């Protein structure tokens, strides 16, 4: 925001004045309210007018609005960790509620005259302005406003050629005011809403339009609007303008006092929306849990119109099918989304009617060129694009970013001299979807396989044979499997989804049917199953299961379901592929993996290895491993059961297997398994029976006791034993706590690092911000910025909890120095530190290397937990909500030096403090 034009101090009278001055005015206001109530009580869900009318108050769900611009689109993604460095967040987020949209933020004195709210297509801008108006009309909010006048640019466009005074324009749209002869609005508190600046066809010529101050003077609508926005005309009024991001620059920044951004639904709001849509609780929870099964679907539901599409499609499916049969229709939902956006584009920008066919040449051309851009840039790994990239793809930038509904301009701060416009798809998954559509269409229309490196010649549809199609899909599977970071995983799911005929029918103007659908599907399914049987990584095979879902093939999962019914599962029934299917099912989000009992599933070694990820994902695994080793000669050489709540009982069971001569394990990792003396002794005894294989034993982070360790150490010296590496470090009583709490460490604040405005309590556990400088001696390690580090050198696994008041960043950092002392970079601002803090208006923010990521969370506990696994390269932040750990974010990296716990205080925020918790 630059400059400020606030309403001058004109004497705005309270509403009572109105009634006492003129009964006519009060009557007029009531009539206006009642007409607005009628107009806005219903919302046409999804697509204006063509959607279903629903009561706004029944469906309206609080939405996430922030002050300022984040400069990015939602970057949560199912498969990929999205690099956010290029989309820098430059300010902490402040949440705004609808009633406070004009309320100055704390610390700001000037009133707010003009608010501009930005948001991508379907994020809820129109619904928000409707709710604001309805709440006023129903006397629920903003009672101090005398008149609310909601306009849309679409309605104003029609008056482009006509002349009005401001008063006449109001009379034209709000006839109650004309009937009651209201001609002066300066005495009243008036709010004008202008929804959909992106649809504006008026020139909005701020530079050349004449200045106008007289509300009774006739002129063009364009001159009226520019003068209203400049604050020349009716300066006492307040204005609220909504727009898609790329169109916002039509209004000079100095005319806008506040910019807000609609970010969509956060996770609890998504669920609340579904609950409101379906009065039947059971149906609501079936639909919510179904959406949650597909992570991509769940993420995309942050866009309300997408949430509506998903709920509508699933509701329809539920009418005809049992809940268990609900398809995981990721591709279908994205197709519907594209169709809805094309419909909206038709109505809004191409002058079409609600009932017109949504696919016209314009729309098709735009989708085709966006698809080409999406694919070419996906291959290069690009998620944001510059104007030059778009020119290469011959895309009309303005049309694509404003009208398409799938592509947007984002705000990016450039450090250099010049600012370039930056664009991206409204979500990376939309880029992956359009890329798949492009590859699919290219193949269908020209026979060219864009995924193949071989020279391609064009061939016509009739020549796209079953064999050619089969090898097209197989090459896509291979290509996705080759990618080390899974960058084509979601793309592959969409590509296969697009081959399904029921999906193609929604895109019939774009897609010609592939023909031979069932034959191709059969062969593709077979190929995918064959790949699943290979020794793929778990992530890769899980993606292939998603692909089978997109192809509506559930044969592998059905076999497993069948097997599970005949418990315990017979090992002979489980092929490698079935085993992966079992893992896929067990790891799906809605499965409660608190306790996993392997004994119920299988005892074969192969199966066991395949199930290890499940064992590790569960809080407690129960199993009878002995049979794996006892029943047959085993080829298993390495077994990692670390971080399992194995305990002594599990250890004894495992030992029964280890003592078998069939067991030829060479490496056994049991770090952090809650093993005590008894378990350790049984392990030592098992090894004394079968000493000639095991070379490496990791029992760190347990409490094996002195006698247990003695026995194992004796084995190290025994020439019959092969054991040559034994880890029993970090033992002790605290290691018997469940989960990561066993890694608790006692931190101690390093007083030499305390900045002069931080004081340490007498018990040395609480650091508090002080306004005055404290007379600490000079020290090379002392921070100038409001920070402190602890003395503990963290190199293993460590866990700690702190309680924060006010604005404190809980941090972990390397201790970097040069010859002038400690390097005074703010924690989280550089690549040498990581930090977490609670945001003032709810939620949390994690920062690393100058990039902040907001994590919305309804709970706002002040207790933060940190878990560092230095050798494993993970750093996790949690909040402790009523004793339960709630995971917020895990950073994965290779730590190159010891780390230190630290705290940073922000902005000299009064009475901030942080206390180390005793656990
Ligand atoms: N707060 C909300 N509560 C419930 N549903 C909502 C909400 N906001 C939006 N929706 C749903 O999303 C649909 C699209 O919202 P809306 O028309 O307000 O989006 P928009 O941001 O104005 O999009 P566009 O830029 O395309 O005009 C609505 O028709 C409604 O179904």
């Amino acid at each position: 925001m630059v400059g400020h034009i606030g309403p001058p101090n004109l004497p705005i009278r309270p509403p009572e004045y109105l009634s006492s001055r003129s009964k006519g005015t009060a009557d007029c206001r009531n009539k206006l309210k009642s007409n607005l109530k009628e107009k806005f009580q219903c919302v046409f869900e999804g697509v204006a007018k063509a959607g279903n009318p629903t009561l706004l108050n029944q469906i309206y769900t609080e939405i996430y609005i922030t002050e300022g611009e984040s400069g990015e689109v939602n970057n949560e993604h199912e498969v990929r960790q999205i690099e956010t460095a290029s989309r820098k967040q430059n300010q902490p987020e402040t949440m705004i509620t609808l009633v406070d949209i004009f309320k100055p933020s704390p610390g700001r004195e000037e009133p707010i005259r003009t608010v501009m709210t930005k948001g991508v297509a379907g994020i809820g801008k129109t619904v928000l302005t409707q709710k604001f108006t309805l709440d006023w009309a129903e006397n629920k909010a903003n009672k101090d406003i005398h008149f609310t006048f909601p306009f849309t640019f679409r309605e104003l466009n029609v008056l482009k050629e006509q002349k009005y005074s401001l008063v006449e324009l109001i009379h034209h749209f709000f006839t109650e005011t004309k009937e009651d002869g209201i001609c002066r609005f300066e005495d009243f508190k008036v709010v004008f809403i202008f929804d959909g600046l992106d649809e504006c066809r008026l020139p909005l010529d701020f530079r050349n339009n004449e200045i106008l101050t007289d509300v009774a003077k006739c002129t063009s609508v364009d001159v009226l609007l520019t003068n209203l926005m400049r604050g020349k005309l009716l300066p006492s009024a307040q204005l609220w303008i909504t727009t898609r991001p790329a169109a916002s620059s039509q209004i000079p920044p100095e005319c806008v006092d506040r910019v807000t951004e609609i970010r969509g639904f956060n996770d609890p709001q998504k669920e609340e929306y579904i609950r409101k849509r379906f009065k039947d609780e059971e149906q609501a929870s079936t639909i919510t849990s179904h959406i949650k099964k597909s992570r991509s679907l769940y993420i995309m539901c942050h866009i309300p119109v997408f949430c509506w599409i998903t709920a509508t499609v699933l509701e329809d499916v539920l009418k005809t099918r049992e809940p268990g049969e609900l398809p995981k229709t990721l591709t279908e939902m994205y197709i519907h989304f594209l169709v809805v956006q094309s419909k909206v584009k038709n109505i809004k920008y191409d002058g079409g009617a609600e009932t017109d066919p949504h696919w016209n040449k314009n729309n098709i051309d735009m989708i085709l060129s966006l698809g080409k851009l999406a694919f070419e840039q996906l291959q290069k790994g690009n998620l944001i694009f510059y104007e030059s990239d778009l020119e290469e793809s011959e895309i009309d930038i303005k049309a694509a970013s404003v009208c398409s509904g799938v592509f947007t301009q984002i705000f990016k701060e450039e450090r250099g001299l010049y600012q370039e416009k930056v664009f991206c798809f409204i979500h990376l998954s939309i880029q992956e979807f359009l890329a798949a559509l492009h590859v699919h269409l290219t193949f269908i229309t020209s026979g060219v396989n864009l995924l193949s490196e071989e020279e391609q010649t064009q061939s016509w549809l009739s020549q796209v044979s079953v064999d050619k199609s089969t090898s097209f899909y197989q090459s896509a599977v291979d290509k996705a499997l080759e990618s080390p970071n899974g960058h084509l995983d979601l793309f592959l799911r969409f590509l296969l989804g697009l081959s399904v005929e029921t999906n193609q029918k929604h895109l019939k103007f774009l897609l010609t049917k592939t023909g031979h659908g069932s034959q191709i599907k059969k062969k593709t399914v077979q190929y995918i199953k064959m790949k699943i049987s290979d020794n793929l990584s778990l992530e890769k095979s899980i993606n292939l299961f998603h692909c089978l879902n997109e192809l509506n093939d559930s044969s592998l999962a059905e076999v497993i379901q069948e097997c599970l019914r005949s418990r315990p599962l017979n090992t002979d029934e489980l092929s490698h592929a079935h085993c992966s299917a079992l893992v896929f099912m067990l790891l799906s989000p809605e499965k409660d993996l608190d306790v996993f009992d392997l004994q119920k599933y299988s005892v074969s070694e192969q199966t066991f290895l395949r199930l290890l990820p499940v064992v590790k994902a569960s809080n407690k695994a129960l199993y009878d491993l002995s049979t794996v080793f006892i029943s047959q000669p085993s080829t298993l050489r390495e077994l990692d059961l670390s971080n399992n709540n194995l305990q002594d009982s599990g250890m004894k069971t495992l030992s029964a297997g280890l003592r078998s001569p069939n067991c030829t394990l060479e490496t056994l990792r049991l770090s952090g398994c809650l093993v005590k003396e008894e378990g350790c002794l049984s392990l030592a005894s098992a090894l004394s029976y079968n000493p000639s294989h095991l070379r490496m034993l990791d029992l760190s982070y347990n409490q094996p006791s002195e006698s247990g360790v003695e026995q194992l150490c004796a084995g190290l010296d025994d020439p019959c034993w092969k054991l040559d590496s034994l880890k029993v470090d970090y033992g002790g009583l605290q290691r018997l706590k469940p989960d990561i709490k066993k890694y608790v460490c006692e931190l101690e604040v390093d007083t030499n690092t305390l900045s002069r405005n931080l004081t340490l309590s007498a018990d040395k556990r609480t650091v508090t911000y002080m306004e005055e400088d404290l007379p600490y001696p000079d020290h090379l390690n002392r921070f100038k910025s409001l920070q402190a580090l602890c003395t503990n050198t963290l190199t293993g696994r460590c866990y700690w909890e702190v309680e924060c008041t006010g604005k404190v960043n809980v941090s972990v950092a390397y201790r970097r120095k040069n010859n002038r002392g400690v390097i005074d970079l703010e924690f989280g601002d550089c690549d040498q530190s990581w930090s977490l803090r609670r945001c003032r208006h709810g939620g949390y923010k994690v920062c690393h290397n100058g990039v902040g990521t907001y994590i919305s969370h309804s709970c706002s506990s002040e207790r933060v937990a940190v878990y560092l696994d230095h050798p494993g390269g993970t750093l996790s932040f949690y909040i402790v909500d009523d004793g339960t750990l709630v995971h917020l974010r895990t950073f994965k990296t290779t730590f190159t030096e010891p780390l230190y716990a630290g705290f940073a205080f922000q902005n000299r925020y009064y009475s901030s403090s942080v206390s180390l918790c005793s656990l």
Side-chain angles (χ1 to χ4, degrees), residues 16 194 198 533 605:
E16 314 80 68
F194 296 104
D198 41 273
S533 312
E605 177 185 317

Side-chain angles (χ1 to χ4, degrees), residues 672-703:
C673 285
L674 306 185
V675 178
K676 291 196 278 189
E677 180 170 10
E678 222 181 315
C680 184
L681 289 175
S682 87
L683 175 63
S685 147
L687 290 178
S688 66
Y689 275 91
N690 182 17
S692 47
H693 299 287
L694 197 73
R695 303 180 70 112
M696 195 290 183
L697 175 62
D698 182 0
L699 263 183
S700 56
Y701 297 100
N702 287 291
Q703 201 209 359

Side-chain angles (χ1 to χ4, degrees), residues 43-47 59-63 119-128 195 198-199 244 265 273 304-305 308 341 344 348:
V43 57
F44 289 86
E45 281 207 276
V47 191
I59 195 71
Y60 180 79
T61 308
E62 204 74 51
I63 203 148
V120 296
I123 203 87
K125 299 178 294 293
T126 300
V127 170
L128 196 68
D195 181 33
D198 41 273
E199 292 177 66
R244 289 187 185 178
F265 292 151
Y273 172 78
V305 81
W308 168 77
Q341 292 308 346
V344 169
K348 284 189 158 195

Side-chain angles (χ1 to χ4, degrees), residues 36 46 138 446 465 529 636 654 658 717 757 764 820 833:
L36 289 176
E138 291 179 338
S446 67
S465 58
K529 284 184 180 171
L636 193 63
L654 179 63
L658 293 174
D717 300 331
N757 293 88
K764 303 210 156 102
R820 267 171 288 137
S833 56

Side-chain angles (χ1 to χ4, degrees), residues 10 20 39-40 257 619 650 900:
L10 286 175
S20 64
K39 185 168 175 195
F40 290 125
D257 300 301
N619 286 335
Y900 295 84

Side-chain angles (χ1 to χ4, degrees), residues 689-889:
Y689 275 91
N690 182 17
S692 47
H693 299 287
L694 197 73
R695 303 180 70 112
M696 195 290 183
L697 175 62
D698 182 0
L699 263 183
S700 56
Y701 297 100
N702 287 291
Q703 201 209 359
S705 82
E706 249 175 62
S707 67
V709 173
E710 245 168 50
Q711 290 213 8
L712 290 171
C713 286
L716 273 179
D717 300 331
D718 187 333
C720 299
W721 284 43
K722 264 275 167 68
L723 191 67
D724 54 19
S725 164
L726 172 66
K727 280 195 189 172
V728 284
D729 38 358
Y730 304 111
L733 207 52
Q734 77 272 26
R735 307 298 173 199
L736 297 180
K737 292 193 176 126
D739 313 321
I740 51 176
K741 288 197 180 159
K742 66 166 92 46
Y743 302 114
V744 69
C745 60
E746 272 291 313
L747 294 179
E748 197 182 307
V749 177
D750 181 351
T751 47
N752 291 331
T753 64
L754 277 176
S755 92
R756 292 186 193 281
N757 293 88
L758 299 182
T759 169
L760 186 63
S761 63
D763 65 358
K764 303 210 156 102
R765 303 205 61 81
T766 303
V767 180
T768 309
Y769 167 70
M770 305 282 286
E771 226 178 338
E772 66 274 18
D773 275 7
L774 294 159
Y776 292 140
D778 288 341
H779 197 285
L780 278 178
N781 287 348
R782 193 168 309 288
F783 284 108
K784 287 199 177 60
S785 44
L786 299 171
Q787 304 191 139
L789 281 176
C790 292
T791 52
N792 317 57
T793 308
L794 309 176
T795 49
R797 296 181 199 141
C798 325
Y799 174 88
W800 64 97
E801 288 180 20
V802 292
E803 193 89 34
C804 307
T805 315
K807 283 194 166 185
V808 183
N809 284 3
V810 178
S811 311
V812 176
Y814 293 123
R815 200 183 263 253
R816 292 273 163 95
K817 280 193 233 176
N818 57 22
N819 47 15
R820 267 171 288 137
V822 69
I823 298 177
D824 210 341
L825 287 171
E826 244 173 69
F827 297 152
D829 260 7
C830 54
D831 62 354
Q832 297 157 27
S833 56
W834 296 257
S835 72
L836 170 92
R837 73 174 165 76
R838 199 158 60 98
C839 299
R840 199 149 39 104
H841 296 281
Y844 295 82
K845 190 164 182 175
V846 281
C847 292
H848 172 57
N849 204 10
V851 178
T853 307
Y854 178 74
I855 304 166
S856 70
H857 205 283
S858 46
C859 148
S860 75
S861 165
E862 296 187 321
R863 198 163 173 129
V864 170
V866 186
Y867 171 58
L868 168 70
D869 180 356
H870 193 287
T874 61
L875 171 66
S876 305
F877 288 102
Y878 304 80
I879 44 169
V880 189
D881 181 16
D882 223 3
T884 310
L885 283 187
V886 182
H887 178 253
L888 294 180
R889 175 76 191 256

Side-chain angles (χ1 to χ4, degrees), residues 263-499:
R263 307 287 288 276
F265 292 151
N266 58 25
D267 287 352
Q269 287 163 346
K270 290 173 199 170
E271 291 182 34
E272 190 192 331
Y273 172 78
I274 307 274
R275 272 199 306 277
K276 287 189 165 171
R277 242 195 86 92
F278 300 98
K279 263 149 242 110
D280 176 353
E281 265 178 49
E282 209 175 303
Q283 199 178 17
S285 77
T286 310
I287 297 226
T288 307
S289 85
H290 188 73
I291 295 175
K292 279 185 164 177
K293 275 185 206 162
S294 170
R295 184 113 181 83
S296 290
L297 214 57
Y298 193 58
I299 293 171
M300 270 300 283
C301 279
H302 78 278
I303 302 181
V305 81
F306 194 92
C307 209
W308 168 77
I309 291 167
T310 309
T312 312
V313 173
L314 293 181
E315 182 184 22
D316 205 39
V317 176
L318 265 185
K319 280 187 199 140
T320 50
R321 291 186 222 179
E322 289 296 309
E325 290 179 59
L326 277 181
K328 295 179 181 67
T329 45
L330 190 62
T331 310
E332 191 183 339
M333 286 334 155
Y334 279 67
I335 291 176
H336 282 295
F337 182 65
L338 197 63
V339 172
V340 167
Q341 292 308 346
S342 301
K343 240 179 174 7
V344 169
K345 175 176 176 290
N346 250 358
I347 300 165
K348 284 189 158 195
Y349 306 100
D350 304 335
E354 284 90 26
T355 46
D356 285 356
H358 38 269
W359 291 114
N360 56 33
K361 184 160 182 328
N362 251 345
N363 284 353
I364 294 177
D365 286 351
M366 182 176 290
I367 293 302
L368 294 182
S369 35
L370 282 174
K372 184 163 180 279
L373 171 83
F375 177 64
E376 283 165 3
Q377 302 292 330
L378 183 69
Q379 277 199 314
K380 292 186 204 157
N382 288 348
L383 315 181
I384 59 172
F385 324 109
Y386 293 89
E387 273 179 295
S388 46
D389 298 322
L390 303 181
E391 276 153 16
E392 249 173 55
S393 304
E394 291 164 22
I395 286 179
D396 173 350
I397 304 164
K398 181 148 190 295
S401 55
V402 176
C403 318
S404 73
V406 293
F407 195 67
T408 184
Q409 184 179 348
I410 51 173
F411 173 81
K412 184 176 172 225
E413 203 169 77
E414 294 274 357
R415 289 247 167 81
L417 282 174
Y418 308 107
Q419 279 221 335
E420 259 204 274
K421 284 189 177 164
V422 186
F423 302 85
C424 69
F425 287 91
I426 57 164
H427 191 260
L428 172 57
S429 61
I430 296 285
Q431 183 179 348
E432 288 155 321
F433 172 68
L434 288 174
L437 189 60
H438 171 67
V439 172
H440 180 95
L441 285 171
T442 309
F443 180 69
I444 299 304
T445 51
S446 67
V448 171
N449 178 358
L450 291 174
L451 297 167
S452 159
E453 260 110 59
E454 286 163 29
E455 189 70 20
Q456 302 273 320
T457 46
Q458 292 224 340
S459 66
W460 300 107
L461 180 63
S462 55
Q463 290 164 294
V464 178
S465 58
V466 176
D467 282 350
K468 199 162 180 196
S469 300
T470 312
S471 67
F472 166 64
Y473 291 114
Q474 292 182 354
S475 69
V477 173
D478 293 343
K479 194 102 189 158
L481 288 178
E482 275 164 26
S483 159
N485 64 353
H487 81 294
L488 294 175
D489 281 2
L490 212 55
F491 163 86
L492 178 67
R493 278 193 233 171
F494 288 129
L495 188 70
L496 294 170
L498 286 167
S499 75

